[in-house]
Amino acid sequence: MNKILVIGGSKGIGKAIIDSLIEEHSIINISRTAPLLSHTNLNHFTCDILTDDLPEIDAIDTLIYCPGSINLKPFSRLKLNDFREDFEINVIGAVKAIQHYLPYLKKGNKPSILLFSTVAAKLGMPFHASVATAKSAVEGLTKSLGAELAPLIRVNAIAPTVTDTDLASKLLRNDRMIENIKERHPLKKYLDPKEVADLATFLISEKASSISGQIFELDCGIVSFKI
């Protein structure tokens, strides 16, 4: 039974990842609120990743950093603070967590790190300047650490398209917007959090032991996108 640290597992993709792993692994969740799940394999620490000291944990085999943002505005309406806040939660939070828990990971069982980007980091999407900038930094961090921490620790990232979470609720707030989102994806769908969790489960498993420094897009076939 591996010990997996999930940061931001109270809801959305993070919660789906915990749900998919909880029966076979020991899970530690760090987030501002506890996930609505009670299980003997789950321990929770209430913590704000950006402002609080991170809890000490005796052993970690995998670190999964899930916090993110969807801050969609025309570039002319984005303030410098928008860029700072998106960079803080997406990049600085991940760096803080990795630096803090790296000594534990180095002692782990076939350790790995999993981060999250977005398809907007690769595709040109209107109104995504702030979040795409931050997530592009996450992709750079993934590739750099994938090289630097090899061969001991594998580092990968998942870049999903629109996923049915609270974070994306403004994009999916009515039937018309839901249909528009579906139509802009060749597979005529958007993602369920469990689909993302399934890929996450694979990437931290031994089946992916030869994969590191990679960005995996879950894009429903998308090649262009407009809001």
Side-chain angles (χ1 to χ4, degrees):
M1 180 180 285
N2 282 354
K3 184 166 283 188
I4 298 173
L5 172 61
V6 179
I7 299 176
S10 62
K11 53 189 175 181
I13 290 171
K15 173 62 164 50
I17 290 172
I18 290 178
D19 289 342
S20 70
L21 297 172
I22 195 68
E23 295 298 332
E24 297 182 7
H25 301 279
S26 175
I27 309 296
I28 301 162
N29 176 64
I30 295 175
S31 57
R32 290 178 294 180
T33 57
L36 297 175
L37 173 66
S38 179
H39 198 287
T40 56
N41 288 346
L42 176 64
N43 289 305
H44 168 74
F45 292 91
T46 299
C47 175
D48 187 316
I49 185 67
L50 296 181
T51 59
D52 297 337
D53 292 334
L54 293 174
E56 298 303 322
I57 298 167
D58 58 358
I60 302 170
D61 301 309
T62 296
L63 188 158
I64 303 175
Y65 186 85
C66 301
S69 57
I70 302 180
N71 183 16
L72 307 185
K73 296 178 184 177
F75 183 73
S76 60
R77 287 178 49 202
L78 284 167
K79 308 299 183 184
L80 287 179
N81 231 29
D82 290 311
F83 283 89
R84 291 190 182 103
E85 289 177 1
D86 283 341
F87 197 85
E88 284 281 330
I89 189 61
N90 288 284
V91 185
I92 300 302
V95 170
K96 178 181 176 180
I98 293 168
Q99 287 188 333
H100 185 81
Y101 292 114
L102 190 58
Y104 303 88
L105 284 165
K106 287 180 176 179
K107 300 175 183 177
N109 176 35
K110 299 178 180 177
S112 66
I113 297 169
L114 182 63
L115 305 177
F116 281 89
S117 181
T118 170
V119 293
K122 178 179 179 180
L123 301 175
M125 294 184 178
F127 314 135
H128 283 69
S130 182
V131 67
T133 297
K135 290 299 193 182
S136 294
V138 171
E139 295 196 3
L141 180 65
T142 300
K143 294 174 183 179
S144 295
L145 292 184
E148 182 173 336
L149 301 180
L152 181 60
I153 301 173
R154 296 186 302 108
V155 186
N156 291 295
I158 298 175
T161 187
V162 178
T163 308
D164 189 9
T165 65
D166 289 348
L167 200 61
S169 59
K170 289 183 179 180
L171 297 175
L172 302 169
R173 63 180 178 267
N174 57 52
D175 290 342
R176 179 183 62 81
M177 295 186 74
I178 288 172
E179 286 307 309
N180 285 342
I181 291 289
K182 288 181 178 179
E183 285 302 312
R184 288 172 179 143
H185 291 82
L187 295 182
K188 305 305 179 188
K189 58 174 289 188
Y190 50 89
L191 292 172
D192 183 275
K194 187 179 184 305
E195 295 178 276
V196 186
D198 287 344
L199 179 55
T201 299
F202 168 74
L203 287 174
I204 66 171
S205 73
E206 288 191 40
K207 294 177 181 178
S209 62
S210 296
I211 300 173
S212 190
Q214 303 302 307
I215 315 298
F216 288 84
E217 295 178 6
L218 271 177
D219 60 9
C220 297
I222 194 170
V223 292
S224 63
F225 197 98
K226 292 184 179 181
I227 298 296

